[in-house]
Amino acid sequence: MSVGRELADAHHVQEHAAGERLDVAVSVLGLLADRTRLALLAELGRGEADVTTLTEACGAARPSVSQHLAKLRLAGLVTTRKDGRRVVYSLRHGHLRRLVDEALNVADHQIGALPPHD
């Protein structure tokens, strides 16, 4: 295979990977675009918690919280572990915590008419 062809193939793979990356990012942001799920993720950003704690923190009904947690778990955004009979949830990684924090910071700026900054 020629060097030119190899470079073209590598470029095509990068474009495909970039497209997949954008698709996954859209999916993650779509999951965050729900008030209950965003509240759950914000609470989990403070540390791991069980369903009872998360229900109290976000103010939604327990069945609703359980359904939202199931979606977040299936999407790979939260993980679970057993603590006796309780299921304890946590964020899969710090990137998600920072993403939620930044979304809430943007909201603070818009609500409080705060000046822009880096």
Side-chain angles (χ1 to χ4, degrees), residues 34 36-37 40 51 55 58 60-70:
D34 178 274
T36 300
R37 285 193 293 268
L40 291 170
V51 175
T55 299
C58 75
R62 187 179 182 99
S64 175
V65 168
S66 293
Q67 288 177 359
H68 286 294
L69 287 169

Side-chain angles (χ1 to χ4, degrees), residues 69-88:
L69 287 169
K71 284 183 182 181
L72 294 170
R73 187 180 52 77
L74 288 172
L77 301 183
V78 299
T79 60
T80 61
R81 69 174 178 81
K82 287 285 224 173
D83 182 21
R85 293 176 44 174
R86 293 181 328 138
V87 176
V88 179

Side-chain angles (χ1 to χ4, degrees), residues 20-39:
E20 183 179 8
R21 186 177 186 215
L22 288 172
D23 290 343
V24 171
V26 166
S27 176
V28 169
L29 291 172
L31 285 166
L32 269 63
D34 178 274
R35 190 178 198 285
T36 300
R37 285 193 293 268
L38 188 59

Side-chain angles (χ1 to χ4, degrees), residues 14-15 22 25 27 30 37-38 46 50 53-54 61 68 76 83 91 94 96 102 107 109 114:
Q14 285 178 334
E15 285 178 353
L22 288 172
S27 176
R37 285 193 293 268
L38 188 59
R46 295 179 187 90
D50 62 11
T53 302
L54 293 168
H68 286 294
D83 182 21
L91 294 182
L96 188 56
E102 287 300 324
H109 277 264
L114 301 172

Side-chain angles (χ1 to χ4, degrees), residues 38 99-114:
L38 188 59
L99 180 60
V100 170
D101 287 346
E102 287 300 324
L104 294 173
N105 287 337
V106 168
D108 290 341
H109 277 264
Q110 289 187 321
I111 292 167
L114 301 172

